[in-house]
Amino acid sequence: MRIYIDQASGHVGEEVEIAGWLYNKRSSGKLRFLILRDGTGLMQATVSQADVSEEDWAVADELTQESSLIATGTITEDARAPGGYELHVKSLQLVGRSEDYPITPKEHGTEFLLDRRHLWVRSQKQHAILRVRAEVISAIRDYFDSRGYVLFDAPMFTPNAVEGTTTLFETEYFGARAYLTQSGQLYQEAGCMSLGKVYCFGPTFRAEKSKTRRHLTEFWMVEPEVAFMDLDGVMELAEDFTQEVVARVLDRRGEELKTLERNIAALERVKKPFPRITYDEAARILKEKGTDFTYGSDFGGADETVLAEQFDRPVMIHRWPAGIKAFYMKRDPDDPTRSLGVDMLAPEGYGEIIGGGQREDSLEELEKRIEEHNLPRKFFEWYLDLRRYGTVPHSGFGLGLERTVAWICGIRHIRETIPFPRMMYRLEP
Ligand code: 4AD
Ligand code: MG
């Protein structure tokens, strides 16, 4: 019977077949210890010359890293073996030979590995990160699906910008101009006026010309949007959601976090309520700490790290100077120089993971903003319709998947959190 390595515990004493690749090999006299991987885990397959045919012994002897094979034998429990089980091999079948596999157990430079990303994803650390990513995605979907949110997919081709015109990817669209979407938000606003609570979750694109460890040109964002929700409501949603996603990974991906040597205690502190401070309070902290931040501007990566260091869990910063935030943000009725936006910064220097807030719901105000931002009015008529026909207060946010995964995994650069990262200098493989 063919089994996967992670099913071994249910087959002790039985003869089974395991199909996979050679991860590593040790030799000792008439024994060959093959470490197999099949995507579900690692297992030692012990080949004793006395137990196998001459042909199979030759296969075991010559087997090279990443050659694919099918091994048949009996499962035994062995506390010393990786995974706790061992296969005593009776026969071996080589499926596909691997010659001179380029990624060896020695250290390699990141560019070397990124050029071979299609092979790099076979390594144990990458398995752990990609499994955490998959868990975070499923936790995100479950969070919204189980709370009555309707998945409302946003288009990828758009005629206009959402998050400023400097990071647009332009493409030709049957003689017209189109852009790859920077955010599904505007479409979610239409969705929440129809279905009440909606979300979209997919790739978004930004022509980021900065080479930083927090920026990709193609990244995934989940964007909930809720009718009749205000800024306080969306901050509550953001913290409850973040707490739940982290708890889910702690609950189900402990092994992977161990592989990544993640400090679990730091993640266990991610419990609501999260601290909430205004932009002015944040600016005061930066001044006290002696950074060279200028009041009124956006926080840079270094500023975000200083701010996050003041707290033991994610922090939410709200009420931003209206001038540095997007056109769609509602102004604070108590101080029209402020917009009702909120950013959430992850702890430990991972930077902004969430951006969101309350949206401008007045037709007249929004018309003014579109003009002030020099946005092409004709592409926003549909968006203005949402204010013409039964406008209501509404709010939402966007969480960047890769930054969140980098933070949860405790890895410095977000390029390892997506199977095939896209950055300014990388379109391949
Ligand atoms: O703060 P941003 O730009 O907000 C929006 O796009 C809103 N329209 C979302 C909404 O309210 N529905 O982006 C949201 C998040 C950031 O906090 C960050 O986590 C991530 O998206 N992000 C990036 N992640 C990786 N690479 C980039 N270049 C990113 N730009 C933003
Ligand atoms: Mg932002």
Side-chain angles (χ1 to χ4, degrees):
M1 179 170 59
R2 170 83 53 89
I3 66 160
Y4 282 105
I5 289 172
D6 68 353
Q7 299 170 319
S9 63
H11 297 274
V12 175
E14 291 174 26
E15 186 173 308
V16 299
E17 200 179 88
I18 297 214
W21 294 262
L22 184 75
Y23 186 66
N24 213 337
K25 188 171 89 174
R26 276 188 307 118
S27 301
S28 165
K30 293 182 187 316
L31 293 173
R32 297 291 175 269
F33 301 101
L34 315 177
I35 307 294
L36 309 185
R37 59 164 200 89
D38 71 349
T40 72
L42 295 179
M43 183 183 255
Q44 179 166 293
T46 305
V47 189
S48 166
Q49 192 171 9
D51 296 345
V52 297
S53 71
E54 219 169 285
E55 267 177 348
D56 286 4
W57 177 253
V59 169
D61 200 38
E62 285 157 25
L63 212 54
T64 48
Q65 190 189 353
E66 287 304 316
S67 289
S68 48
L69 68 147
I70 297 170
T72 308
T74 312
I75 303 270
T76 57
E77 231 163 319
D78 182 349
R80 294 159 307 169
Y85 299 91
E86 200 182 357
L87 187 76
H88 285 270
V89 177
K90 216 175 97 182
S91 68
L92 267 186
Q93 185 196 332
L94 179 67
V95 177
R97 193 180 296 281
S98 157
E99 300 284 359
D100 302 322
Y101 189 69
I103 303 177
T104 56
K106 69 163 201 185
E107 284 281 311
H108 296 285
T110 305
E111 286 305 311
F112 178 93
L113 291 168
L114 282 169
D115 285 341
R116 292 157 187 80
R117 182 66 176 164
H118 51 294
L119 302 175
W120 189 20
V121 291
R122 300 183 185 193
S123 78
Q124 293 303 296
K125 182 182 170 201
Q126 300 306 315
H127 280 191
I129 298 168
L130 294 172
R131 282 178 186 278
V132 170
R133 176 187 169 96
E135 191 68 52
V136 170
I137 291 174
S138 110
I140 287 171
R141 293 202 180 286
D142 287 349
Y143 183 90
F144 292 115
D145 292 345
S146 67
R147 285 168 177 77
Y149 286 71
V150 179
L151 180 68
F152 189 79
D153 299 308
M156 298 288 111
F157 284 128
T158 59
N160 56 271
V162 191
E163 295 297 331
T165 48
T166 55
T167 62
L168 282 173
F169 275 116
E170 190 179 315
T171 177
E172 195 269 343
Y173 196 79
F174 305 110
R177 215 173 6 202
Y179 306 103
L180 296 182
T181 187
Q182 297 167 304
S183 156
Q185 179 196 321
L186 307 187
Y187 299 98
Q188 298 314 298
E189 292 184 53
C192 83
M193 301 300 166
S194 159
L195 294 155
K197 297 188 278 189
V198 293
Y199 74 101
C200 65
F201 191 9
T204 47
F205 307 89
R206 296 194 194 177
E208 301 280 2
K209 285 155 207 102
S210 50
K211 229 183 124 182
T212 82
R213 62 192 182 93
R214 295 173 183 169
H215 290 90
L216 296 171
T217 54
E218 179 179 314
F219 63 98
W220 282 56
M221 195 171 8
V222 57
E223 299 181 84
E225 192 75 26
V226 185
F228 297 102
M229 184 178 266
D230 62 8
L231 177 66
D232 285 340
V234 83
M235 287 200 276
E236 246 170 77
L237 175 66
E239 67 182 359
D240 187 63
F241 165 73
T242 306
Q243 168 182 290
E244 177 124 336
V245 168
V246 171
R248 165 85 164 253
V249 176
L250 282 171
D251 182 39
R252 300 201 188 169
R253 293 292 158 202
E255 270 310 307
E256 284 76 8
L257 295 177
K258 204 150 78 188
T259 300
L260 296 166
E261 295 173 14
R262 181 65 167 107
N263 171 2
I264 299 296
L267 293 178
E268 283 168 346
R269 283 193 294 268
V270 182
K271 291 270 155 59
K272 52 181 195 181
F274 295 175
R276 299 177 187 186
I277 60 173
T278 61
Y279 173 88
D280 280 10
E281 284 164 333
R284 247 192 322 269
I285 292 173
L286 292 176
K287 194 159 170 238
E288 263 168 42
K289 299 287 161 196
T291 69
D292 57 6
F293 162 77
T294 336
Y295 182 85
S297 64
D298 202 352
F299 303 128
D303 300 325
E304 288 181 352
T305 301
V306 171
L307 288 170
E309 275 169 0
Q310 312 309 312
F311 305 94
D312 68 348
R313 61 198 74 198
V315 54
M316 292 190 278
I317 304 173
H318 57 91
R319 291 184 167 74
W320 293 71
I324 58 170
K325 283 291 184 190
F327 77 97
Y328 54 70
M329 291 221 181
K330 188 174 176 65
R331 300 287 169 104
D332 185 351
D334 296 331
D335 178 1
T337 69
R338 306 285 122 169
S339 64
L340 297 177
V342 59
D343 278 8
M344 186 190 288
L345 307 185
E348 303 169 78
Y350 285 91
E352 179 200 325
I353 50 170
I354 283 182
Q358 189 168 341
R359 322 306 189 185
E360 184 51 72
D361 48 78
S362 140
L363 177 63
E364 294 70 34
E365 288 296 314
L366 196 54
E367 283 174 324
K368 251 197 310 203
R369 296 289 122 68
I370 287 174
E371 201 172 306
E372 283 165 13
H373 281 81
N374 284 320
L375 295 169
R377 165 83 184 234
K378 69 171 176 167
F379 294 128
F380 289 90
E381 284 303 332
W382 72 267
Y383 185 63
L384 292 167
D385 271 355
L386 305 176
R387 280 72 182 168
R388 289 189 185 105
Y389 305 110
T391 189
V392 300
H394 61 289
S395 302
F397 67 77
L399 168 120
L401 176 67
E402 288 76 15
R403 287 190 195 175
T404 305
V405 173
W407 162 49
I408 293 177
C409 289
I411 53 173
R412 225 183 107 70
H413 200 297
I414 67 171
R415 64 194 159 205
E416 286 177 53
T417 63
I418 185 164
F420 294 95
R422 294 290 173 253
M423 293 167 287
M424 186 176 174
Y425 296 106
R426 184 161 294 279
L427 185 59
E428 293 172 60

